[in-house]
C-alpha cells in the first residue's frame, strides 16, 4: 500500500513530461511554424509550475499550509542557497566578459594559432578550453558559432562536422568547469568538493576527449587543409580567461574565482576602452538576468522534489532500482539512467541534476557510493544526454549558426557518444567508488 502511494507521488513528473514534451512535439513536428522552435514554445518554468500545482493538490491528509512548509524546508538547504548565489555571480561575470570583448578576444587568439589542416580538431580543443573557462556550453557555441561557420565555409569543410566538434568541445568544458552551473548543482547537492568531483570526471572525460581528438585528426588529415584565417584580438583582453582557468584548476573557492574574473574583465575592458563604466553595470545586470530562469527553475524543482519525497515518490524509484539494479555498480547505473531520462525530459542539464539530486543522494547512501562519484555520474550523464538530443539548446544554437538541421549534426557528436562508453567502462572496470 505504501509503494502505491509512493508511485502516485510521481504523478507531477508525468504531468511535467506530458506538458513540456507534448507541447514540444506538437509545435515541432505536428504543427510546425516558421521561425519557431517547437521545444521552446512551452517554458520549462510554466511546465514546472503546473506540475508543482498537481503536487500541492495531492495527499489530502496534509494541509496546504503544511505542504508549503515542506517546500520551504527543501529550499532552506544551504547547498541550494549557495548554488543560487553562485548562479548570480556567474551571470554577472559572463555578462561583463562578453561586453568587454574578453570572450571574443580569447576565441580569436586561440583560433589564430591553430594550423590550417587541423581546423576541425582546433575547433574542438578551443571549445574545450573556452567552455572550461566560461562554464557554459551554450555561451561557448554562441561565441564561436560565427567563426566556426566562416572557417568551415572558407575551407570547404563539412559544416555539420565542424559544428559537431564545437558542440562536443563545449560539452567537455561545461562538464568539467568549476564555474559551470551543472558542476555547481552536482557538487552542492551531493555535498562534495569541486576538486574531488573534477578528479572523478577527468578520469572519465579525458579518454573520451583523446579518442575524439584522434578521430578528428584522422578526418582532418584525410581532407584538405583549411584556408588560413585572420582573427584580430587584443592579447591583454584574453588574459582574464587564462587567469581564472588557472585559478579554478588550482582549487580556489568558486566565489573568489568568479569575483576575480569579474574584476579583471571590467578593469581590462575599462583600461583598453572596450567598455565604459555604465556599460559594466548594464552588462552585469544583463548577465544576472540571463540566470533568472535557471534560478526560478531551481526553486520550483527543489520545492517539487521535497513534496514528491515526502509523499514517498523517491522510495518508489529506489525500490524500482533495487529490483532491477544490484550492488554498487547497479546503483551507479541507476543514477546514470535517472539523470539521463530527466535531462531528455527537461532538455536542461542543470534542471535535470537538481531534480535528480535527492534521488541520487538516497541511492548513494543505500549503495555506499561516494558523494564525488555520484556528483560526477549525474553531471556526466546529463552532459551526454544534453549533448545529443536534437531539441536541446546546444544543438539548436549550433544548427542555427550552421544553417542546417540539428539532425544533420548528430552523427558528428563523437565526444558525447564516446563519453557514454567511457562512463560505462569506468563503472564496470573500476573497483572503488
Amino acid at each position: 500500500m505504501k509503494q502505491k502511494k509512493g508511485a502516485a507521488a510521481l504523478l507531477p513528473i508525468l504531468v511535467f513530461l506530458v506538458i513540456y514534451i507534448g507541447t514540444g512535439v506538437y509545435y515541432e513536428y505536428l504543427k510546425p511554424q516558421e521561425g519557431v522552435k517547437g521545444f521552446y514554445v512551452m517554458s520549462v518554468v510554466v511546465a514546472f509550475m503546473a506540475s508543482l500545482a498537481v503536487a500541492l493538490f495531492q495527499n489530502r491528509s496534509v494541509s496546504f499550509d503544511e505542504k508549503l512548509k515542506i517546500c520551504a524546508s527543501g529550499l532552506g538547504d544551504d547547498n541550494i542557497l549557495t548554488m543560487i548565489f553562485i548562479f548570480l555571480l556567474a551571470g554577472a561575470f559572463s555578462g561583463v566578459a562578453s561586453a568587454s570583448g574578453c570572450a571574443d578576444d580569447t576565441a580569436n587568439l586561440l583560433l589564430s594559432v591553430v594550423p590550417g589542416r587541423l581546423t576541425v580538431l582546433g575547433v574542438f580543443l578551443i571549445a574545450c578550453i573556452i567552455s572550461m573557462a566560461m562554464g557554459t556550453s551554450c555561451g561557448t557555441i554562441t561565441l564561436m558559432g560565427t567563426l566556426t561557420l566562416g572557417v568551415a565555409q572558407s575551407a570547404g569543410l563539412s559544416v555539420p562536422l565542424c559544428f559537431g566538434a564545437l558542440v562536443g568541445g563545449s560539452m567537455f568544458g561545461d562538464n568539467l568547469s568549476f564555474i559551470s552551473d551543472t558542476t555547481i548543482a552536482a557538487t552542492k547537492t551531493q555535498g562534495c568538493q569541486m576538486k574531488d568531483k573534477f578528479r572523478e570526471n577527468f578520469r572519465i572525460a579525458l579518454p573520451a576527449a583523446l579518442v575524439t581528438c584522434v578521430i578528428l585528426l584522422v578526418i582532418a588529415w584525410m581532407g584538405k587543409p583549411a584556408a588560413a584565417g585572420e582573427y584580430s584580438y587584443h592579447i591583454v583582453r584574453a588574459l582574464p580567461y587564462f587567469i581564472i582557468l588557472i585559478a579554478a584548476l588550482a582549487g580556489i573557492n568558486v566565489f573568489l574565482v568568479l569575483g576575480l574574473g569579474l574584476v579583471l574583465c571590467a578593469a581590462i575592458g575599462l583600461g583598453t576602452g572596450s567598455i565604459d563604466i555604465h556599460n559594466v553595470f548594464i552588462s552585469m545586470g544583463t548577465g544576472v538576468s540571463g540566470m533568472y530562469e535557471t534560478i526560478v527553475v531551481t526553486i520550483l524543482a527543489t520545492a517539487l522534489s521535497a513534496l514528491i519525497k515526502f509523499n514517498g515518490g523517491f522510495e518508489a524509484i529506489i525500490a524500482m532500482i533495487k529490483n532491477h539494479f544490484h550492488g554498487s555498480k547497479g546503483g551507479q547505473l541507476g543514477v546514470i539512467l535517472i539523470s539521463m531520462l530527466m535531462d531528455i525530459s527537461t532538455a536542461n542539464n542543470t534542471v535535470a541534476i537538481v531534480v535528480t539530486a535527492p534521488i541520487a543522494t538516497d541511492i548513494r547512501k543505500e549503495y555506499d557510493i561516494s558523494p564525488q562519484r555520484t556528483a560526477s555520474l549525474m553531471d556526466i550523464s546529463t552532459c551526454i544526454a544534453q549533448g545529443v538530443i536534437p531539441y536541446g539548446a546546444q544543438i539548436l544554437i549550433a544548427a542555427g549558426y550552421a544553417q542546417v538541421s540539428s539532425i544533420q549534426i548528430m552523427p558528428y557528436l563523437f565526444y558525447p557518444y564516446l563519453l557514454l562508453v567511457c562512463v560505462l567502462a569506468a563503472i564496470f572496470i573500476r573497483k572503488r567508488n
Side-chain angles (χ1 to χ4, degrees):
M1 187 71 180
K2 185 177 180 180
Q3 188 169 340
K4 285 184 179 180
K5 178 183 177 182
L10 299 174
L11 177 62
I13 296 179
L14 178 61
V15 171
F16 173 83
L17 297 179
V18 170
I19 293 176
Y20 188 71
I21 296 184
T23 303
V25 170
Y26 179 77
Y27 285 106
E28 183 73 18
Y29 301 109
L30 301 180
K31 192 178 179 180
Q33 299 179 21
E34 187 177 352
V36 176
K37 297 176 181 178
F39 282 92
Y40 290 86
V41 171
M42 170 61 68
S43 167
V44 66
V45 173
V46 175
F48 263 115
M49 288 175 64
S51 60
L52 181 59
V54 172
L56 288 170
F57 280 104
Q58 285 185 306
N59 196 349
R60 299 291 182 86
S61 62
V62 180
S63 69
F64 185 80
D65 288 341
E66 186 64 29
K67 291 173 184 175
L68 291 180
K69 290 181 180 179
I70 294 170
C71 292
S73 67
L75 295 172
D77 189 301
D78 59 342
N79 289 322
I80 298 298
L81 186 60
T82 301
M83 185 166 58
I84 291 174
F85 285 158
I86 294 175
F87 286 162
L88 292 171
L89 188 54
F93 162 71
S94 298
V96 174
S98 297
S100 64
C102 291
D104 288 331
D105 285 337
T106 303
N108 288 349
L109 169 61
L110 293 172
L111 282 172
S112 66
V113 299
V114 177
R117 184 175 287 277
L118 303 180
T119 299
V120 177
L121 176 59
V123 168
F124 174 74
L125 293 176
I126 292 170
C128 288
I129 295 172
I130 292 179
S131 58
M132 279 194 68
M134 292 181 66
T136 166
S137 51
C138 289
T140 301
I141 296 169
T142 301
L143 174 64
M144 294 185 60
T146 301
L147 296 177
T148 301
L149 179 62
V151 170
Q153 290 178 335
S154 65
L157 299 173
S158 167
V159 173
L161 169 63
C162 290
F163 276 87
L166 174 58
V167 172
S170 300
M171 297 309 299
F172 172 87
D174 192 351
N175 179 223
L176 289 172
S177 175
F178 281 72
I179 59 175
S180 167
D181 50 1
T182 58
T183 294
I184 296 167
T187 55
K188 291 302 178 184
T189 56
Q190 295 307 307
C192 64
Q193 296 294 318
M194 289 189 180
K195 60 182 180 180
D196 295 329
K197 180 260 188 189
F198 176 84
R199 294 191 190 100
E200 289 282 346
N201 260 34
F202 193 71
R203 282 192 285 259
I204 297 171
L206 182 60
L210 291 176
V211 176
T212 300
C213 288
V214 172
I215 293 174
L216 294 176
L217 184 60
V218 171
I219 292 175
W221 204 258
M222 292 174 63
K224 67 177 183 177
E230 292 292 334
Y231 303 102
S232 61
Y233 60 88
H234 195 301
I235 193 167
V236 175
R237 284 200 292 265
L239 290 178
Y241 276 109
F242 293 103
I243 292 174
I244 68 168
L245 177 59
I246 293 172
L249 293 175
I252 296 175
N253 181 278
V254 65
F255 283 104
L256 295 178
V257 172
L258 288 171
L260 176 64
L262 176 61
V263 171
L264 285 175
C265 287
I268 292 176
L270 291 170
T272 58
S274 61
I275 192 172
D276 51 38
I277 189 65
H278 82 276
N279 278 316
V280 168
F281 297 127
I282 291 174
S283 60
M284 287 177 64
T286 301
V288 170
S289 297
M291 301 299 290
Y292 284 172
E293 183 174 81
T294 299
I295 293 171
V296 171
V297 169
T298 298
I299 293 172
L300 292 173
T302 302
L304 177 63
S305 296
L307 282 174
I308 293 175
K309 183 176 183 178
F310 178 82
N311 291 330
F314 292 169
E315 292 179 10
I317 293 176
I318 293 174
M320 180 273 292
I321 292 176
K322 286 181 179 178
N323 290 333
H324 297 87
F325 299 95
H326 304 287
S328 176
K329 293 179 180 179
Q332 293 178 68
L333 289 174
V335 172
I336 290 176
L337 178 62
I338 293 172
S339 300
M340 293 185 69
L341 288 176
M342 192 56 65
D343 187 87
I344 291 171
S345 302
T346 62
N348 186 304
N349 42 353
T350 304
V351 173
I353 288 173
V354 172
V355 175
T356 304
I359 307 173
T361 300
D362 289 341
I363 293 174
R364 73 170 172 81
K365 291 179 179 178
E366 177 72 24
Y367 292 100
D368 193 26
I369 305 170
S370 68
Q372 60 266 28
R373 181 71 161 182
T374 307
S376 175
L377 291 176
M378 286 196 302
D379 203 348
I380 289 174
S381 303
T382 55
C383 169
I384 293 168
Q386 189 67 23
V388 299
I389 53 176
Y391 51 88
Q394 287 79 359
I395 297 185
L396 288 176
I397 294 171
Y401 278 106
Q403 301 171 17
V404 299
S405 72
S406 56
I407 302 298
Q408 289 177 272
I409 298 176
M410 289 183 68
Y412 301 102
L413 298 170
F414 304 123
Y415 174 72
Y417 299 140
L418 289 168
L419 186 59
L420 176 60
V421 174
C422 288
V423 72
L424 293 176
I427 290 176
F428 288 103
I429 294 174
R430 188 180 175 192
K431 294 182 180 180
R432 294 180 60 193
N433 299 324

